Amino acid sequence: MHELTRQQAQNIVDKMMQDIPYNINIMDRTGIIIGSGNKGRVGTLHYGAAEAIKQQKIVEITEDEEFVKKGINLPIELNGTIVGVVGISGEVNETWPFGNLVKTTVILLIEQSIALEKENLKSHLKHEFFNLITHSDTNYTKELADQALIYGIQLTKPSQIIYAEFPGEIAEDFIKNIPSFKSSIHSLYLVVQEADKLEALLERIRRQYPDAYLSVSKWNDTISEGYIQTKAALRVLKGVYFNERTIFYAKCEFFADMSKLLKNDTRAERLAHLLEKNDELTKTLQVYLNCNLNANKSAQLLMIHRNTLHYRLTKIHSITGKDPHNILELVELIFMLIHRI
């Protein structure tokens, strides 16, 4: 049985009493006051409400008595069950119209809360399901396969995962007919099981959200493998590329896999820390890599003189101890960029 909270009841009372010139009380299903214009009465028994609950009907009190004040007390019914009472103090003929107004407001709020609870439960179950299928130790049982069908996923069919990270809040179902699961208010995973839909889907997201980061896995027999691949590829995208927003795991597989192995490597962490607050040198290194170590193109893209580029690369060498012109040491610098994400 759903019940109003004291905060909800008091909010209704405070709001309604801005326009209604009478004291309002809202009681729970036992007759205890949970919201009142007279806050000192909250937590006490309202005898008029108790009588309305007992008789299961509206109770009018025409005269003030020792424990009750004149007014009207209207039971709040939901699905045939009394869940509370609205009481308005004053002359009965004057409080009647306001009683129905407050009662309707309370019922609407309760129904809204119930709908929200159902939606939250549905979202929680969906989140728990996604956590389960993205865990590498999960076995695809028939029961799990049947549950997956509810979300439009065939666990026996290969899939490709897209991880999308948006600059702002995103709705979980903004892409229709594609299973999607929110991982935060601004990111979600999409499960693609039809190859001919991938390009159109990526294009649609890119057109609608040009600043979104997109990471795409390979085709895999398990969703968990694709989930891991998108996370690893995203680290490469954010670490190495300065102006790209989409990456395919298949195009960066070596570095993506190595980044997972080096995730807790203290050497890479120390290197990453050295350039952590120097955005200019970090971007210079990213551009240099993206231009395939072409100094002229790098300087042009950075809009600096070639000598300035040489100075910056030398400074990177000086700070990190790794020479960007040395291929082996450059690989270490690449992992440094990835590790900083």
Side-chain angles (χ1 to χ4, degrees):
M1 179 187 299
H2 186 88
E3 296 183 3
L4 275 175
T5 66
R6 287 194 176 192
Q7 182 177 358
Q8 288 173 327
Q10 191 61 54
N11 286 342
I12 294 174
V13 169
D14 293 341
K15 179 72 173 177
M16 300 301 290
M17 286 188 63
Q18 292 178 11
D19 302 309
I20 296 175
Y22 301 98
N23 185 61
I24 299 174
N25 296 305
I26 296 180
M27 283 64 69
D28 64 15
R29 59 189 178 86
T30 65
I32 299 297
I33 300 174
I34 57 175
S36 175
N38 180 1
K39 294 182 175 59
R41 296 190 64 190
V42 173
T44 64
L45 179 66
H46 190 288
Y47 290 91
E51 193 63 26
I53 294 169
K54 180 180 178 181
Q55 296 183 27
Q56 297 189 4
K57 67 178 185 179
I58 298 173
V59 170
E60 300 175 358
I61 299 175
T62 56
E63 298 292 336
D64 288 339
E65 299 177 11
E66 183 179 1
F67 297 108
V68 296
K69 290 185 177 295
K70 59 185 175 182
I72 186 169
N73 299 283
L74 301 89
I76 305 168
E77 288 190 25
L78 201 65
N79 298 324
T81 302
I82 295 178
V83 296
V85 177
V86 168
I88 302 182
S89 304
E91 297 295 337
V92 172
N93 62 331
E94 295 176 0
T95 56
W96 249 107
F98 298 117
N100 285 323
L101 178 62
V102 178
K103 175 183 173 181
T104 300
T105 301
V106 173
I107 291 175
L108 288 174
L109 180 63
I110 292 175
E111 290 176 341
Q112 183 183 47
S113 297
I114 291 174
L116 183 60
E117 284 183 4
K118 288 181 178 178
E119 189 61 33
N120 287 339
L121 176 59
K122 181 180 176 181
S123 178
H124 175 73
L125 292 174
K126 187 176 183 180
H127 182 72
E128 289 296 310
F129 167 77
F130 187 67
N131 284 342
L132 185 61
I133 62 174
T134 54
H135 198 285
S136 57
D137 292 334
T138 298
N139 293 319
Y140 287 177
T141 62
K142 183 182 183 305
E143 181 182 6
L144 188 62
D146 291 341
Q147 187 179 358
L149 291 175
I150 297 174
Y151 302 108
I153 297 173
Q154 298 181 52
L155 290 183
T156 57
K157 190 175 180 179
S159 61
Q160 197 165 14
I161 308 301
I162 300 174
Y163 172 75
E165 189 175 287
F166 301 89
E169 189 169 348
I170 188 70
E172 189 165 21
D173 61 348
F174 93 99
I175 295 289
K176 305 295 184 183
N177 304 319
I178 296 290
S180 58
F181 302 85
K182 287 187 75 169
S183 54
S184 73
I185 62 171
H186 57 81
S187 61
L188 54 80
Y189 289 89
L190 298 106
V191 181
V192 180
Q193 295 193 296
E194 296 179 37
D196 59 348
K197 288 187 176 181
L198 181 65
E199 288 301 324
L201 178 57
L202 291 174
E203 177 59 28
R204 178 179 174 186
I205 299 173
R206 179 62 58 227
R207 185 171 59 252
Q208 194 168 349
Y209 298 95
D211 292 329
Y213 285 103
L214 302 177
S215 177
V216 186
S217 76
K218 296 199 299 186
W219 285 95
N220 298 282
D221 291 331
T222 64
I223 289 173
S224 62
E225 187 61 27
Y227 171 77
I228 293 170
Q229 290 174 2
T230 59
K231 291 178 66 177
L234 184 72
R235 288 168 60 85
V236 177
L237 174 62
K238 286 187 170 183
V240 177
Y241 297 94
F242 73 98
N243 63 351
E244 296 292 329
R245 287 294 184 272
T246 303
I247 193 167
F248 290 81
Y249 172 79
K251 298 289 183 66
C252 64
E253 190 168 348
F254 171 76
F255 284 104
D257 288 346
M258 287 300 294
S259 72
K260 290 185 291 183
L261 296 175
L262 295 174
K263 187 175 181 181
N264 298 315
D265 185 85
T266 56
R267 293 169 301 173
E269 184 177 352
R270 285 197 301 270
L271 278 175
H273 180 69
L274 292 174
L275 290 183
E276 186 176 19
K277 296 181 180 179
N278 200 318
D279 293 337
E280 183 179 77
L281 293 183
T282 298
K283 182 179 179 181
T284 297
L285 184 56
Q286 290 174 327
V287 171
Y288 186 59
L289 289 167
N290 280 257
C291 290
N292 294 317
L293 316 186
N294 186 306
N296 289 330
K297 286 184 178 179
S298 299
Q300 184 178 13
L301 193 56
L302 288 165
M303 292 186 290
I304 59 176
H305 194 275
R306 180 176 171 134
N307 289 342
T308 304
L309 174 67
H310 178 71
Y311 168 77
R312 290 184 184 178
L313 294 176
T314 301
K315 192 172 182 179
I316 290 172
H317 186 187
S318 174
I319 292 174
T320 65
K322 305 299 175 184
D323 185 359
H325 298 102
N326 183 300
I327 189 63
L328 294 179
E329 294 181 9
L330 181 61
V331 171
E332 291 190 69
L333 288 172
I334 292 173
F335 285 122
M336 177 207 73
L337 290 173
I338 297 172
H339 196 279
R340 55 189 276 274
I341 302 305

